[in-house]
């Protein structure tokens, strides 16, 4: 009863402590599950020692074992928290409910990839742009394996068949008086698919280049190719980046290619700008050397990737060199120089009214 009361009281405090309109989530279920299981086991253990083994009597060895359960519970909870028992599936999420520890991990990932000399504002802009963690190689290996073994192909075939059945029933009802009833044709699913590794990239203006990776999944036994092309958004070709287009040709067994795009650096302060890379015309190169004309390749998910250029020309901050000055009155008029300094950046020309 005491334990139940404490548990209910703790839960009540946790609920009341959350401001209205906000939520909290259990981000790691392993520790929660560990303590929940042990709390249930505690009551079962009481039944065992007080009812089954030695009714209404707690023997010395039962007390010792009960006490030893405490360090075991502590160690198991610690092991779950460290991911030794259940591997923690950490996700790179940027939202209002992130803890300071999660934000610190996210910042470390950005600095490791884009440089330790980033300002806090630049790190925040990277986090706002990137959002979820990019897909890993393991994700694409799993996708390729599923395609190779027919998993995705079976799923697509099932979808084609279901659509065919629905359309066939509809057309049959509409054309009962006809001797020939049109039916939907079930086409073979594509041999391979193309997709961007990430749908959004962020790059500093002074990085020089940005590398966009295009993945190929499915049957990799045949060569294939796909057309790529950059297009303007708020960033303009030649002034912010160098336009690029062409074919990405994949040899047999090759599953990834990179598109290197040059980013133009300038000295003027600008807002973050973006441009796009678009995929089109996927083709499988048949053994005869002919090009695919029957849509044996397709584009998985989005055909467009967004690249955000983060400006590194921070205009800085204007401030007085001294917040207070003392001057002594003289018999004649005189001028007092008051210094205004610019710090934490010097990109572009700035003006201030005084």
């Amino acid at each position: 009863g005491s334990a139940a009361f404490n548990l209910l009281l703790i839960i009540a405090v946790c609920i009341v402590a959350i401001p209205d309109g906000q939520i909290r989530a259990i981000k790691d279920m392993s520790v929660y599950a560990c303590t929940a299981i042990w709390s249930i086991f505690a009551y079962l253990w009481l039944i065992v020692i007080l009812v089954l083994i030695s009714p209404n009597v707690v023997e010395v060895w039962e007390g010792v074992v009960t006490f030893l359960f405490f360090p075991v519970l502590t160690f198991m909870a610690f092991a779950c928290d460290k991911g030794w028992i259940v591997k923690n599936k950490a996700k790179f999420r940027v939202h209002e409910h992130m803890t300071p520890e999660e934000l610190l991990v996210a910042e470390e990932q950005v600095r490791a990839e884009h440089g330790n000399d980033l300002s806090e504002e630049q790190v925040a802009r990277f986090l706002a742009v990137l959002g979820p963690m990019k897909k890993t190689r393991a994700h694409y290996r799993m996708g390729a394996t599923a395609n190779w073994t027919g998993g995705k192909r079976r799923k697509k075939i099932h979808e084609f068949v279901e659509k065919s059945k629905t359309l066939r029933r509809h057309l049959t009802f509409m054309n009962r008086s006809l001797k020939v009833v049109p039916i939907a044709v079930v086409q073979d699913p594509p041999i391979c698919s193309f997709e961007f590794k990430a749908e959004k990239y962020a790059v500093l203006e002074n990085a020089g280049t940005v590398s966009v990776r295009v993945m190929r999944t499915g049957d990799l036994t045949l060569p294939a190719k796909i057309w790529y092309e950059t297009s303007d958004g708020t960033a303009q070709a030649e002034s912010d980046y160098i336009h690029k287009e062409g074919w990405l040709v994949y040899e047999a067994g090759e599953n990834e290619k990179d598109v290197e795009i040059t980013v133009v650096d300038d000295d003027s302060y600008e807002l973050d700008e973006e441009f796009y890379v678009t995929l089109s015309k996927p083709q499988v190169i048949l053994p005869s050397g002919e090009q695919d004309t029957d849509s044996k390749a397709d584009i998985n998910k989005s055909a467009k990737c967004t690249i955000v250029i983060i400006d590194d020309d921070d205009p800085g901050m204007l401030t007085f060199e001294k917040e207070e000055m003392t001057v002594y009155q003289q018999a004649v008029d005189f001028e007092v120089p008051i210094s205004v300094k610019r710090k934490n950046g010097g990109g572009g020309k700035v003006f201030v009214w005084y």
Side-chain angles (χ1 to χ4, degrees):
S2 174
F5 174 79
N6 291 337
L7 178 62
L8 293 176
L9 188 61
I10 292 172
I11 293 176
V13 171
C14 292
I15 294 174
V16 173
I18 300 175
D20 292 340
Q22 296 187 15
I23 62 172
R24 296 294 185 271
I26 300 173
K27 298 176 182 177
D28 188 355
M29 292 295 295
S30 59
V31 179
Y32 179 79
C34 176
T35 54
I37 292 173
W38 272 91
S39 64
I40 297 174
F41 172 75
Y43 291 103
L44 297 177
W45 175 246
L46 285 176
I47 295 175
V48 170
I49 63 176
L50 294 178
V51 177
L52 301 180
I53 299 179
S54 54
N56 300 324
V57 176
V58 178
E59 298 180 354
V60 175
W61 73 269
E62 294 173 338
V64 172
V65 171
T66 302
F67 180 80
L68 292 178
F69 282 148
F70 172 70
V72 174
L73 166 61
T74 304
F75 176 78
M76 287 187 64
F78 177 77
C80 289
D81 185 57
K82 288 295 184 180
W84 298 344
I85 297 179
V86 178
K87 296 296 182 181
N88 294 327
K89 299 180 180 178
K91 293 184 178 178
F92 183 40
R93 299 166 297 165
V94 182
H95 54 67
E96 61 210 293
H97 304 306
M98 287 185 69
T99 65
E101 292 78 9
E102 289 177 319
L103 284 173
L104 181 60
V105 172
E107 179 182 354
E108 290 176 351
Q109 293 183 4
V110 170
R111 292 187 183 278
E113 183 173 352
H114 299 280
N116 291 323
D117 56 345
L118 296 177
S119 66
E120 292 184 359
E121 180 183 354
Q122 289 172 333
V123 171
R125 285 152 72 180
F126 267 107
L127 295 180
V129 169
L130 293 177
M133 177 78 80
K134 302 186 182 94
K135 296 178 181 178
T136 62
R137 291 176 178 266
H139 168 84
Y140 293 101
R141 283 199 296 267
M142 291 169 63
T145 303
N147 280 328
W148 185 262
T149 57
K152 184 178 292 185
R153 182 170 299 179
R154 286 193 297 270
K155 180 180 178 182
K156 290 191 175 183
I157 290 176
H158 177 73
E159 293 174 354
F160 277 120
V161 171
E162 290 301 315
K163 291 179 181 178
S164 174
K165 289 179 180 178
T166 303
L167 182 58
R168 186 182 294 113
R169 286 194 297 268
H170 174 72
L171 292 177
T172 302
F173 175 80
M174 297 293 294
N175 299 276
R176 286 180 178 175
S177 60
L178 300 178
K179 295 182 179 180
V180 179
V181 180
I183 62 172
V185 178
V186 180
Q187 299 179 352
D188 292 333
I191 292 178
C192 64
S193 299
F194 296 90
E195 64 179 330
F196 289 106
K197 183 176 182 181
E199 294 184 1
K200 181 175 284 189
Y201 288 82
V203 60
L204 282 175
E205 188 180 57
N206 63 356
T209 61
V210 57
S211 180
V212 178
R213 179 156 295 181
V214 181
M215 310 297 298
R216 179 170 71 134
T217 58
D219 189 348
L220 307 181
T221 57
L222 293 175
K225 65 179 183 178
I226 190 168
W227 180 263
Y228 71 91
E229 184 176 5
T230 59
S231 58
D232 292 347
T234 52
Q236 301 297 311
E238 309 310 324
S239 61
D240 297 309
Y241 72 97
I242 303 301
H243 174 76
K244 195 171 185 180
E245 62 182 35
W247 289 101
L248 284 177
V249 180
Y250 295 74
E251 300 298 333
E254 195 172 15
N255 67 337
E256 60 184 37
K257 284 280 190 180
D258 291 334
V259 178
E260 294 286 341
I261 304 171
T262 301
V263 178
V264 178
D265 190 13
D266 55 39
D267 296 328
S268 60
Y269 175 72
E270 301 171 309
L271 297 176
D272 295 345
E273 300 175 316
E274 64 183 37
F275 65 97
Y276 312 103
V277 183
T278 305
L279 298 177
S280 62
K281 298 183 283 189
Q283 297 180 12
V284 172
I285 302 176
L286 303 177
S288 61
E290 299 177 355
Q291 304 301 320
D292 169 31
T293 57
D294 298 325
S295 299
K296 292 185 172 63
D298 67 356
I299 299 173
N300 193 16
K301 298 182 180 178
S302 176
K304 179 180 287 188
C305 172
T306 303
I307 300 175
V308 180
I309 303 176
I310 297 179
D311 186 60
D312 64 330
D313 301 309
D314 198 327
M317 180 174 59
L318 299 177
T319 180
F320 289 110
E321 184 176 13
K322 297 180 180 178
E323 294 185 359
E324 295 183 2
M325 293 183 63
T326 301
V327 296
Y328 298 96
Q329 188 175 9
Q330 299 180 11
V332 295
D333 294 344
F334 66 99
E335 293 184 351
V336 177
I338 300 176
S339 299
V340 178
K341 285 195 169 184
R342 183 180 184 182
K343 60 181 183 180
N344 296 336
K349 184 183 294 185
V350 297
F351 304 89
V352 64
W353 179 262
Y354 68 93

